[in-house]
């Protein structure tokens, strides 16, 4: 079977749906021989992985490079640097006036050939002064480029028939799951490889020019220039395997947010020649770039440094490359800006604390940018090996390309300005990032509720979010105020959101079950319990304790839903089930009451809110005295008998978000399983639009024209309220992933994969940046729900309370391989199906995996278990097509160890 094009329209998409439908829609799908032939051992994909872009599809690419929660700058599709967001706040479109690499190649007896080491600029070419002079757009560039992206790795292959060498760029920042310190370096590595295919040697020089970016005069907010005179300084250093320029500005006040340092460095130099200019010549008009280019393009080095200099530093590495040989040029970019303040980045603070320095975690580890760069260089081999190992496991997983691509692309949100760590190490997140300031501060509970990335990839970040929610953000009554102010512990913002509060309870359960850390659970349980029982306070969400939220419920749509509704109510059911399990684990007798309320509420929902196709809101007869300002804020003159901004009888895309999180957490069905499946069928039927040509959206527009998408709410089966809730007609990728991955859990593989592929087809490099899914701001946190696709299809589950592993992939191929993670480690597993049964191999790459039992889908008459060559005593039990091996003695898999299980008929 041919792989369908990334840009396939309706025909290709429907063909994809037909193909997958042909291999079955059961919870475990068998790929036919024809489908598997598309790529041996894989499942048919509409989106290739890694994803490759060229031509006009390079235009919007901005691939974030930087440490998790440490700021980033972006690599553009042509090889240019863009979106310098290393200064503790967003700054879309910003780059220093001059920041570009260049190459000069000279073969014996020929004239040198010099190019800016980017591919040619793409249209449009107009402006008030054409393209202007910044970054010298008029200098020759390479003919074309091909960009390959698989976060955290980016690669560009350049082509130009007039340049006598081939050049490629590999760019990355260290990114290792579960190691936030190794992954949190404020550095970017740019390694260029120059290949000489000729039969004679060539001299090849690469130079990088960057204007000192430590400039208080740059102010994204548009305020007046703060610089009276230019006091920027560039100093050359050579130590510990790193040579380069450290850029600073002693004229900026010590506590100013722009006070900091930046490094342009080189490593792995060997016997090559390094030269540098601490600054381009200070000369009027455009003489400085002209004189720089004259020197570099004629001589291939940066000798003859000017005495009178602009603050535009340049660093050059020159090598002689033998016939049919290659050489690498490794540039290191590093930054250090310690003075993060709430006001500067856009985070709300108590009055009088707006300009307090809350800092950056990395600044406590490194004295300046040079120290950070030195650390990266000294440990580069290990950091890169571990990063590439993670990328390889993702790449080699036999999951559909769109699932891997969506999950990995949205990991980049953790290195965007949406995410940061304060000096105390705590992790924080905006909802997203506006062009020049953070968007919607506070680790917003009702947005971060949807993502599953932190719990599985950086569990300490997830626990940090829980510490905030169940810490000072929770008031004495038990209400979790859904936005955290900084500095923490001084003032609470706003009120509680019903979905946000219930979601945090479920996430606390997830954090525990992924680790099995009972001491952590015992420590946080009293606060979790109080948060759940806040629903029962007089005038609260479930004041009569019947398992149904009936009060006024603020929620992720930034309004209050009145009365029973599926969005908040089903999340409440999930919270009751999660609380029941946690209570049992710590020996709290309240577990029985939680279970009773859950059973009562679940029955009520199925009997009263399921309309035969999906769940609806019931706003009838809501008494005004059920409104509590603690839970909903100031509604002003809102008519509580017939309120506006409600869902009503519409089909809401995330009405099952509580069930979605129950699937992720292993809590089982919260409602009638047939109703759950029917609801997902209805969301696909009504909310999924194969084309938006006839879809009217008077609100913000995130998808349009002939693009396919899942809309927030559809009123095809009932009249739309005159004033529906905000965003009803919009498209949120985070909600699309939530529903699509839930479909995968329920065996609706064709529909779920189609919805995921639809999203990623929209982010094609021409229309949108594939590494920036927007909602309320760029790099929106909710879209990290894309990680759930891996959880759903891999079938890997870890119950830390029992140290029980389940490996039951939802895709059946002869040799299935996949990434796994919990809160104690990560690695890879494989399931190889044979005529007589199956062989399972489970290994740890980082961390550890405590294990007392393994469940697999194969069923047979005999079993074996081998750990590192030694047989493991066990007992096997069977149920239908499942086999569970329970080990007589608990085992712990360590890095490099492998557990091999065979089940035979």
């Amino acid at each position: 079977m041919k792989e369908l094009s990334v840009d396939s329209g309706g025909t290709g998409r429907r063909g994809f749906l037909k193909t997958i439908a042909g291999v079955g829609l059961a919870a475990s799908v068998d790929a036919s021989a024809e489908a598997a032939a598309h790529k041996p051992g894989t499942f048919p994909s509409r989106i290739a992985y890694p994803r490759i872009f060229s031509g006009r599809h390079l235009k919007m690419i901005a691939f974030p490079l930087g440490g998790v929660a440490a700021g980033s700058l972006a690599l553009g599709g042509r090889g240019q640097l863009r979106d310098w967001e290393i200064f503790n706040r967003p700054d879309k479109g910003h780059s220093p006036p001059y920041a570009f690499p260049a190459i000069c190649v000279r073969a014996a007896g020929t004239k040198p050939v010099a190019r800016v080491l980017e591919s040619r600029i793409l249209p449009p070419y107009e402006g008030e002064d054409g393209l202007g002079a910044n970054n010298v757009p008029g200098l020759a560039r390479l003919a074309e480029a091909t960009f390959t992206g698989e976060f955290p790795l980016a690669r560009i292959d350049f082509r130009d028939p007039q340049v006598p060498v081939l050049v490629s760029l590999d760019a990355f920042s260290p990114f290792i799951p579960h190691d936030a310190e190794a992954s949190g370096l404020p550095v970017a590595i740019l390694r260029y490889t120059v290949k000489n295919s000729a039969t004679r040697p060539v001299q090849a020089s690469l130079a990088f020019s960057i204007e000192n970016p430590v400039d208080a005069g740059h102010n994204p907010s548009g305020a007046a220039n703060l610089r009276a005179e230019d006091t920027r300084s560039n100093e050359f250093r050579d130590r510990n395997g790193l040579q380069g320029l450290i850029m600073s500005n002693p004229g900026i006040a010590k506590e100013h947010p722009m006070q900091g340092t930046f490094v342009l460095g080189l490593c792995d130099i060997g016997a090559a020649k390094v030269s540098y200019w601490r600054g381009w010549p200070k000369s009027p008009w455009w003489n400085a770039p002209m004189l720089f280019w004259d020197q570099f393009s004629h001589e291939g080095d940066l000798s003859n440094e000017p005495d009178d200099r602009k603050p535009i530093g340049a660093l050059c590495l020159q090598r002689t490359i033998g016939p049919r040989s290659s050489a690498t040029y490794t540039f290191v970019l590093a930054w250090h800006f310690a003075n993060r303040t709430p006001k500067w980045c856009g985070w709300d603070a108590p009055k009088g604390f707006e300009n307090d320095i809350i800092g950056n975690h990395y600044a406590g580890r490194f004295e300046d940018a040079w120290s950070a760069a030195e650390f990266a260089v000294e440990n580069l081999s290990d950091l890169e090996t571990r990063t590439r190992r993670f990328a390889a496991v993702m790449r080699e997983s036999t999951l559909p390309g769109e699932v891997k691509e969506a999950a990995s692309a949205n990991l980049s949100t953790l290195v965007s300005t949406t995410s940061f760590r304060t000096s105390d190490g705590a992790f924080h997140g905006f909802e997203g990032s506006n062009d020049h300031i953070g968007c919607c501060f506070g680790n917003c509970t009702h947005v971060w509720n949807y993502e599953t990335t932190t719990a599985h990839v950086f569990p300490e970040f997830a626990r940090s979010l829980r510490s905030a929610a169940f810490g000072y953000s929770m008031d004495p009554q038990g209400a979790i105020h859904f936005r955290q102010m900084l500095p923490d512990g001084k003032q609470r913002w706003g009120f509680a959101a019903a979905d946000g509060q219930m979601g945090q309870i479920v996430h606390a359960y997830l954090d525990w079950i992924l680790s099995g850390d009972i001491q952590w659970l015992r420590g946080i349980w009293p606060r979790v319990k109080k948060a759940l029982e806040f629903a029962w306070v007089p005038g609260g969400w479930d004041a009569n304790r019947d398992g149904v939220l009936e009060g006024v419920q603020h929620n992720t749509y930034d309004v209050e839903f009145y009365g029973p509704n599926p969005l908040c109510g089903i999340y409440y059911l999930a919270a009751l089930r999660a609380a029941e399990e946690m209570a049992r684990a710590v020996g709290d007798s309240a577990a029985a009451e939680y279970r009773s309320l859950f059973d009562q509420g679940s029955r009520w929902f199925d009997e009263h809110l399921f309309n035969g196709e999906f769940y609806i809101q019931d706003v009838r007869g809501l008494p005004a005295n059920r409104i509590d300002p603690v839970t909903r804020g100031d509604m002003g003159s809102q008519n509580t008998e017939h309120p506006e901004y409600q869902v009503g009888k519409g089909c809401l895309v995330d009405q099952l978000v509580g069930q979605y999180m129950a699937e992720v957490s292993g809590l089982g069905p919260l409602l009638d399983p047939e109703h759950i499946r029917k609801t997902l069928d209805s969301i696909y039927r009504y909310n999924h639009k194969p084309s938006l040509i006839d879809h009217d959206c008077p609100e913000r527009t995130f998808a349009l024209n002939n693009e396919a998408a899942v809309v927030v709410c559809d009123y095809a089966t009932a009249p739309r309220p005159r004033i529906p809730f905000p965003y009803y007609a919009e498209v949120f990728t985070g909600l699309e992933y939530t529903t699509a991955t839930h479909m995968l859990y329920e065996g609706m593989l064709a529909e779920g994969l189609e919805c995921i592929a639809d999203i990623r087809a929209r982010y094609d490099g021409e229309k949108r940046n594939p590494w920036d899914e927007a909602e309320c701001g760029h790099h929106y946190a909710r879209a990290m729900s894309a990680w759930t696709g891996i959880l759903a299809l891999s079938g890997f589950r870890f119950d830390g309370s029992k140290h029980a592993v389940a490996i039951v992939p939802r895709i059946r191929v002869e040799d299935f391989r996949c990434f796994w993670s919990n809160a104690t480690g990560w690695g890879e597993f494989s399931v190889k199906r044979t005529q007589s049964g199956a062989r399972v191999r489970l290994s740890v790459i980082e961390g550890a995996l405590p294990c007392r039992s393994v469940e697999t889908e194969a069923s047979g008459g005999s079993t074996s278990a081998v750990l590192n060559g030694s047989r493991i005593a066990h007992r096997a039990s069977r149920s239908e097509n499942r086999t569970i091996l329970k080990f007589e003695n608990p085992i712990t898999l360590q890095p490099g160890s492998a557990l091999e299980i065979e089940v035979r008929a």
Side-chain angles (χ1 to χ4, degrees):
M1 171 186 163
K2 291 179 64 178
E3 183 173 6
L4 299 178
S5 166
V6 168
D7 300 308
S8 58
T11 302
R13 180 172 43 76
R14 288 304 178 191
F16 170 76
L17 180 59
K18 182 178 179 181
T19 297
I20 296 186
V23 299
L25 289 177
S28 186
V29 177
D30 283 292
S32 66
E34 177 186 359
H38 121 100
K39 186 176 182 182
T42 67
F43 199 71
S45 300
R46 209 175 112 205
I47 304 291
Y49 190 82
R51 203 165 176 187
I52 301 173
F53 306 85
S54 60
R56 65 182 188 273
H57 293 277
L58 301 174
K59 185 170 181 63
M60 297 300 293
I61 288 176
F63 186 99
L65 297 171
V68 293
S72 64
L73 47 78
L75 178 67
R78 300 184 296 104
Q80 79 279 25
L81 296 181
R82 54 178 293 183
D83 297 348
W84 286 56
E85 298 179 311
I86 61 177
F87 310 110
N88 298 322
R89 62 178 174 187
D91 203 1
K92 292 301 177 192
H94 171 66
S95 171
Y98 293 98
F100 64 90
I103 184 170
C104 180
V105 182
R106 184 198 304 267
T110 66
K111 292 183 178 181
V113 178
R115 296 284 189 273
V116 172
L117 219 173
E118 305 167 357
S119 67
R120 292 171 186 161
I121 295 173
L122 297 168
Y125 302 138
E126 65 179 13
E128 63 182 29
D129 52 358
L131 291 181
N134 286 354
N135 265 343
V136 285
L139 290 183
R141 282 163 167 77
L142 299 171
E144 57 187 42
T146 300
F147 190 106
T148 302
E150 49 173 338
F151 189 86
L153 306 178
R155 179 181 173 89
I156 302 179
D157 292 286
F158 298 97
R159 296 288 185 273
D160 192 322
Q162 296 183 6
V163 178
V165 293
L166 294 176
V167 185
S168 62
L169 165 62
D170 288 289
F172 71 98
S173 295
F175 190 99
I176 302 111
H178 287 220
D179 193 339
E181 299 300 291
S183 305
L185 303 178
V187 300
I189 308 299
L190 305 173
R191 180 180 295 117
Y192 296 87
T193 300
V194 179
K195 181 179 180 181
N196 175 21
S197 301
T199 57
R200 56 182 178 175
V202 298
Q203 183 186 83
S205 302
L206 267 66
F208 225 118
S209 295
I210 293 179
E211 181 166 349
N212 183 325
V214 189
D215 182 8
H218 171 63
N219 194 327
S221 67
N225 192 305
L226 303 177
R227 185 180 68 230
E229 60 178 303
D230 197 337
T231 55
R232 289 177 287 177
S233 172
N234 299 338
E235 172 195 344
F236 181 78
R237 289 184 185 176
D238 178 1
R239 68 188 192 201
N240 298 327
L242 176 67
Q243 295 188 40
L245 300 172
I246 178 167
M247 302 180 176
S248 62
N249 192 339
I252 297 179
K254 182 180 179 180
E255 295 185 352
H256 191 283
M258 282 298 296
Q259 177 57 265
T261 51
F262 182 85
V263 165
L264 166 61
L266 281 164
C267 67
D268 299 331
I269 296 165
K273 176 185 177 183
V274 175
S275 56
Y276 60 91
W277 280 3
R278 285 169 291 175
W280 286 2
K282 182 176 287 186
S283 186
W285 297 97
W286 299 284
N287 296 341
M290 177 186 68
L291 294 172
F292 161 78
W293 196 248
D294 285 349
Q295 171 67 31
F296 178 69
S297 64
H298 288 91
E299 304 300 329
D301 67 18
L302 294 176
S303 55
N304 304 314
E305 183 184 36
D307 294 325
D308 198 13
R309 297 182 292 266
K310 288 178 174 287
I312 305 167
L315 187 63
C316 177
L317 183 64
Q318 183 183 89
R319 295 188 188 276
T320 298
I321 306 174
R324 298 188 175 90
S325 299
S326 299
T328 59
Y329 302 68
T330 304
F331 288 89
V332 181
L333 308 182
W335 52 92
H336 187 281
F337 294 90
N339 297 336
R340 175 188 295 272
T341 69
K343 182 177 181 180
W344 177 263
C345 68
W347 199 278
D348 272 24
K351 187 174 182 180
F353 295 90
E354 297 88 347
N355 294 308
D356 276 25
I357 294 177
I358 55 178
N360 275 321
H361 176 63
Y362 73 73
R365 299 176 60 196
F366 306 109
E367 180 183 4
D368 56 18
W370 188 269
S371 298
E374 273 188 330
F375 179 89
V377 169
E378 290 169 4
N379 296 277
L380 186 56
S381 177
D382 177 65
L383 293 169
E384 182 170 3
T385 297
R386 296 166 69 197
T387 298
R388 291 190 178 277
R389 183 68 187 275
F390 165 62
V393 173
M394 288 288 289
R395 184 188 316 121
E396 294 161 8
S397 295
T398 47
L399 294 173
E402 49 266 41
V403 172
K404 295 186 287 187
E405 205 266 338
S408 66
N410 281 289
L411 288 176
S412 65
T413 297
L414 294 174
V415 307
S416 75
T417 49
T418 295
S419 307
F420 66 94
R421 297 177 75 182
T422 42
S423 58
D424 58 3
F427 176 84
H428 303 279
F430 290 93
E431 291 184 27
S433 298
N434 286 335
D435 285 351
H436 303 297
I437 201 73
C439 179
C440 303
F441 74 99
N443 323 324
C444 179
T445 59
H446 61 63
V447 168
W448 281 84
N449 264 359
Y450 290 75
E451 65 89 16
T452 57
T453 299
T454 55
H456 291 86
V457 183
F458 292 104
E460 70 177 275
F461 290 175
R463 288 195 179 189
S464 180
L465 292 172
R466 240 55 69 213
S467 294
F470 294 104
Y472 184 79
S473 292
M474 193 171 83
D475 67 25
Q477 282 189 284
I480 299 175
H481 294 237
F482 68 87
R483 296 193 192 277
Q484 178 195 31
M485 302 181 83
L486 291 176
D488 191 32
K490 299 184 182 300
Q491 182 179 327
R492 297 181 183 91
W493 185 94
F495 41 90
D499 54 346
Q501 181 124 346
M502 300 306 152
Q504 288 300 300
I505 294 167
V506 179
H507 274 274
Y509 173 75
L510 177 63
D511 294 342
W512 168 61
I513 210 70
L514 287 176
S515 68
D517 187 343
I518 191 66
Q519 295 306 316
W520 179 83
L521 179 61
R522 290 186 189 280
I524 201 172
W525 170 245
R527 307 283 290 176
V528 174
K529 180 178 182 178
K530 190 170 188 176
L532 178 71
E533 296 182 0
F534 170 73
W536 307 342
V537 301
W541 297 317
D542 185 19
N544 60 354
R545 299 198 197 187
D546 62 355
V548 179
L549 296 191
E550 297 158 328
V552 180
Q553 302 147 59
H554 188 82
N555 61 76
T556 199
Y557 293 107
D558 298 327
V559 293
E560 286 65 34
F561 285 171
Y562 288 73
N565 67 88
L567 173 68
C568 302
I570 298 175
Y571 229 148
Y572 179 42
L573 296 179
L576 286 167
R577 277 287 294 116
E580 175 197 350
E581 296 295 330
M582 288 185 280
R584 293 191 192 282
V586 300
D588 190 329
S589 61
E593 182 177 12
Y594 301 154
R595 182 68 197 205
S596 176
L597 286 180
F598 163 77
D599 289 338
Q600 186 177 350
S602 178
R603 287 192 300 269
W604 192 93
F605 258 80
D606 279 323
E607 292 172 3
H608 294 87
L609 295 193
F610 187 72
N611 70 357
E613 291 189 287
F614 51 88
Y615 293 90
I616 60 173
Q617 179 188 17
D618 182 1
V619 296
R620 295 171 298 173
L622 181 70
N625 63 7
R626 295 298 300 277
I627 302 170
D628 186 337
V630 173
T631 64
R632 55 84 180 167
D634 182 11
M635 288 299 295
S637 60
Q638 175 71 287
N639 184 334
T640 59
E641 295 295 332
H642 303 285
E644 297 177 336
Y645 306 117
Q646 304 299 294
V647 174
K649 296 182 179 181
C651 184
L652 185 66
V653 64
D654 58 339
Q655 60 186 279
L656 293 177
V657 62
Q659 182 62 57
Y660 153 85
M661 280 306 302
E663 295 289 351
V664 171
S665 305
L667 290 169
L670 308 175
L671 304 157
D672 184 327
E674 292 186 8
H675 291 178
I676 295 170
R677 174 59 185 258
K678 184 67 174 178
T679 297
L680 290 171
D681 283 335
S682 298
I683 293 172
Y684 181 78
R685 179 181 305 113
Y686 298 125
N687 299 62
H688 175 258
K689 311 294 182 184
S691 169
L692 294 173
I693 289 176
D694 295 321
H695 175 69
D696 293 328
C697 176
E699 304 165 318
R700 301 171 304 178
T701 301
F702 297 102
L704 71 165
N705 298 337
N706 64 347
E707 294 179 321
V710 181
V711 300
V712 169
C713 193
D714 185 86
Y715 290 96
T717 64
R720 192 205 77 197
R722 177 178 176 274
I723 303 294
F725 67 99
Y727 321 131
Y728 77 96
E730 295 184 359
V731 172
F732 295 174
T733 65
L735 302 187
E736 290 181 282
Y737 288 129
T738 298
T739 298
T741 56
H742 190 180
M743 290 175 181
L744 301 182
Y745 273 114
E746 294 294 335
M748 299 172 61
L749 268 68
E751 296 87 342
L753 293 176
E754 179 185 11
C755 292
I756 295 172
D758 286 343
I759 299 169
R760 297 309 297 168
R762 301 199 303 262
Y763 287 82
D764 65 353
E766 179 184 20
K767 294 177 288 187
R768 300 173 185 86
N769 176 17
W771 291 276
D772 176 7
E773 293 192 11
E775 187 184 310
C776 187
H778 301 278
H779 311 288
Y780 201 72
R782 196 185 334 249
M784 287 191 287
S785 57
W787 189 260
T788 313
I790 293 177
L791 308 179
L793 291 184
S794 72
F796 181 93
R797 190 182 296 281
F798 178 75
D799 182 343
S801 68
K802 303 173 183 176
H803 291 175
V805 173
I807 299 176
V808 188
R810 285 180 171 78
I811 290 179
R812 292 180 62 88
V813 293
E814 182 178 330
D815 187 1
F816 183 85
R817 302 178 305 283
C818 196
F819 173 92
W820 69 265
S821 66
N822 61 0
T824 68
W826 63 274
E828 57 188 332
F829 72 89
S830 64
V831 179
K832 188 173 182 62
R833 292 175 173 84
T834 65
Q835 291 183 343
S836 60
R839 290 194 295 272
V840 177
R841 188 178 192 277
L842 175 63
S843 64
V844 171
I845 295 176
E846 303 242 354
L849 180 63
C851 184
R852 294 175 182 168
S853 67
V854 174
E855 176 182 354
T856 183
E857 64 179 313
S859 180
S862 64
T863 60
S864 65
V866 177
L867 177 62
N868 301 331
S870 300
R871 288 189 174 275
I872 304 297
H874 65 276
R875 291 177 290 105
S877 61
R878 298 166 184 84
S879 176
E880 297 181 353
N881 66 333
R882 302 286 180 89
T883 297
I884 301 176
L885 283 72
K886 293 186 177 180
F887 306 122
E888 291 188 5
N889 296 302
I891 63 175
T892 299
L893 279 69
Q894 302 289 348
S897 62
L899 175 65
E900 296 175 295
I901 292 173
E902 186 168 5
V903 180
R904 298 176 298 277

